Amino acid sequence: MAIRLYRAYSPGTRTKSVSYFDDLSKVKAEKTLTFGKKSCGGRNNRGIITARGRGGGHKRKYRVIDFHRKSLLAAKVTTIEYDPNRNARIALLCYKDGLKKYIICPRSLKIGTIVYSGNDVPIEIGNAMPLESVPLGSIVHNVELTLGKGSQIARAAGTYAQLIAKEGNFVTLKLPSNEVRLVNKRCYATLGQVGNIDNINITLGKAGRSRWLGKKPKVRGVVKNPIDHPHGGGEGRSPIGRAKPVTPWGKPALGIKTRNKNKASTKYILRPRR
């Protein structure tokens, strides 16, 4: 997908770039697969902010995505659509029995393509199958980590995982973060790379466009008051006043490993992402 650039007829358009939407279907979202999404502004059920930097933004409808792909019937790609809840595009599948489902749209998937899911399906982009059926060296996305839970890995625009080995009941995957880990061979994955690969090159151009997306400004700790952040206080441009930087709650930040060493899945990680 290409990117559209603008002439600098205002400060906001000087560095602004947006996606071309010419390859998307000019239809409304499937009504049976959408529902209203209430914004919480980063607050929990007690109204306390638990995720900072969120709030505002445009109204969204949530599209229900099929992350399981367990239907063994053939399906036809009828539309490729925009999804406001993710940076990847979504494709609407129409199965032979009339059922409709959304999936994350892989790169190069075209309208009218027939896709399959199951054990003995063709090795083609968009087809879902267990990892034991995927050829060595192939790139996949929408990878399951836990049997039957649905895909969790490589769902963002342009991402993919690579299958580099098979041994016993496990396969070895190189993940988008460069982590290398073992995954059960019966977990499902979809062949190909997630589409909309130019998303990483898009520049918002102005602060207001971030606010449309529901993102609020972030303020550095050193410019806050001592009551608001451990780095705050002092006269003028002062250092943080500590041996190492910390979070607003006093925990070590910037480079400190936070993963629990006793986590059960640690034994499946052959090479950590750092």
Side-chain angles (χ1 to χ4, degrees):
M1 182 175 287
I3 287 181
R4 187 194 304 268
L5 302 174
Y6 289 82
R7 290 198 190 95
Y9 59 82
S10 71
T13 57
R14 184 174 298 279
T15 57
K16 176 182 176 182
S17 60
V18 298
S19 289
Y20 259 96
F21 299 104
D22 295 350
D23 57 342
L24 300 185
S25 305
K26 294 174 176 58
V27 295
K28 288 190 175 181
E30 178 63 32
K31 203 166 187 180
T32 58
L33 296 174
T34 59
F35 60 86
K37 183 181 178 185
K38 191 174 185 301
S39 173
C40 64
R43 290 164 173 79
N44 63 6
N45 60 346
R46 296 191 295 143
I48 293 171
I49 293 176
T50 54
R52 296 175 303 154
R54 296 186 189 180
H58 203 286
K59 269 190 178 180
R60 298 176 183 178
K61 281 187 177 178
Y62 187 77
R63 278 79 164 159
V64 180
I65 310 294
D66 179 18
F67 290 119
H68 289 84
R69 296 288 300 272
K70 297 299 184 185
S71 177
L72 301 178
L73 297 174
K76 184 178 181 181
V77 179
T78 54
T79 61
I80 295 176
E81 302 174 21
Y82 171 80
D83 188 354
N85 305 291
R86 64 193 74 249
N87 54 18
R89 304 291 180 239
I90 56 175
L92 182 64
L93 301 186
C94 187
Y95 289 87
K96 284 190 173 181
D97 59 356
L99 190 65
K100 293 182 178 181
K101 288 189 176 181
Y102 278 122
I103 63 166
I104 301 290
C105 184
R107 185 182 180 186
S108 304
L109 190 71
K110 304 293 184 185
I111 295 174
T113 305
I114 306 296
V115 295
Y116 305 87
S117 59
N119 289 313
D120 303 315
V121 299
I123 308 299
E124 294 175 356
I125 288 175
N127 290 350
M129 62 192 74
L131 286 167
E132 61 182 342
S133 302
V134 178
L136 280 177
S138 300
I139 62 173
V140 293
H141 66 279
N142 273 3
V143 184
E144 273 187 335
L145 274 185
T146 306
L147 276 171
K149 189 175 182 180
S151 61
Q152 295 174 268
I153 299 295
R155 303 190 331 194
T159 57
Y160 62 88
Q162 188 172 20
L163 195 149
I164 56 180
K166 297 181 183 181
E167 187 175 352
N169 290 326
F170 293 91
V171 301
T172 305
L173 286 180
K174 184 179 181 184
L175 304 184
S177 61
N178 286 328
E179 177 178 296
V180 177
R181 70 170 291 155
L182 299 174
V183 181
N184 193 301
K185 67 178 182 181
R186 290 185 293 148
C187 285
Y188 264 62
T190 307
L191 282 171
Q193 178 183 7
V194 183
N196 195 23
I197 61 172
D198 283 328
N199 180 75
I200 194 173
N201 300 320
I202 289 178
T203 306
L204 295 183
K206 63 179 184 178
R209 200 166 158 201
S210 280
R211 302 305 296 266
W212 301 341
L213 298 175
K215 298 175 184 176
K216 295 172 75 174
K218 293 179 181 177
V219 182
R220 292 171 297 136
V222 289
V223 297
K224 294 183 179 180
N225 294 321
I227 191 68
D228 299 317
H229 201 283
H231 295 173
E235 297 291 332
R237 292 187 175 179
S238 54
I240 63 175
R242 284 173 172 249
K244 293 180 180 178
V246 294
T247 68
W249 304 276
K251 298 284 183 69
L254 299 182
I256 303 298
K257 293 182 179 179
T258 56
R259 183 180 171 88
N260 184 0
K261 293 179 181 178
N262 298 321
K263 197 170 182 180
S265 61
T266 301
K267 61 184 177 182
Y268 298 121
I269 298 176
L270 305 182
R271 191 178 76 197
R273 60 193 178 95
R274 288 185 177 86

